[in-house]
Amino acid sequence: MSELSVQLYSVRDAFAADPDGTLRQLAALGFTQVEPYGVVENAEALRAGLPAHGLTAPTAHARLIGADQAAVFAAAAELGIGLVIDPFVPPEQWQDPADVAATADALNAAAKVAAEHGVQVGYHNHWWELRNRIDGRSAFEVFADQLDPAVALEVDTYWATAGGEDAPALLRRLGDRVRAIHVKDGGLATDATGQVPAGQGRVPVADVLAAAPAALRVVEFDAYDGDLFAAIAASRAFLTGAGR
């Protein structure tokens, strides 16, 4: 997974209004891969739109814990998505070691269901998994230690940095468990304001890339005060010239 991808959540308003046109625009920027969200909800649009614009989706976000996992993994398999990533477990679930263990157990169980469909499971962090500490370690790393090796990690390097972590060092510690990284930049506000194209903010993006050379690089914006497609293009330009 050495090529660049882009998280469709970045352009969620455009995608909701015109999924085909949005995929066309991203392909025109040079992307050949996207990371969808809402696999089941958006299956019809993706089924038609991905091949129409020469796109594939190696990874996707979908809620897994407490969801109809069989439906999610069946849709993912049909769309050629190999890794389905649970994108969000709320902050209150990352304070007590028993809750962290319960989340790991839930994803380990989901991985067994996923395997029946030829799909793998992953988890994506926000800032609170890194900010919360358990016996001096981030809750995220305590969690990672309890995952079945079949469960992958997608490290959001902006959120990790916003959570007070040295993102490159974190990536090096986690090693090949990290299958993908979210690449975004900004002032590190935890409300997602002030995000900017990669290389223009406070995230050490070049060091992040060097620390996870084999991970899929997924461009993402949670929010942006401007033309999102232009910002995505600027991030892509930075990444393609920054030691990919």
Side-chain angles (χ1 to χ4, degrees), residues 32-36 50 55-60 79-83:
T32 59
Q33 299 182 120
V34 296
E35 184 173 78
L50 293 176
L55 297 167
T56 60
T59 62
L79 294 166
I81 296 165
L83 178 62

Side-chain angles (χ1 to χ4, degrees), residues 202-213:
R202 294 175 57 195
V203 177
V205 178
D207 293 339
V208 160
L209 301 178

Side-chain angles (χ1 to χ4, degrees), residues 156-220:
D156 188 306
T157 57
Y158 174 92
W159 287 132
T161 307
E165 196 67 54
D166 179 330
L170 174 68
L171 292 168
R172 287 191 292 270
R173 290 196 299 272
L174 294 172
D176 60 10
R177 301 292 299 278
V178 181
R179 290 274 302 281
I181 57 175
H182 271 188
V183 181
K184 57 193 179 192
D185 210 343
L188 304 181
T190 56
D191 65 357
T193 57
Q195 292 187 1
V196 297
Q200 298 181 21
R202 294 175 57 195
V203 177
V205 178
D207 293 339
V208 160
L209 301 178
L216 176 67
R217 296 162 186 192
V218 184
V219 173
E220 189 194 27

Side-chain angles (χ1 to χ4, degrees), residues 19-35:
D20 186 72
T22 300
L23 294 174
R24 182 186 301 110
Q25 280 187 270
L26 293 173
L29 294 180
F31 287 97
T32 59
Q33 299 182 120
V34 296
E35 184 173 78

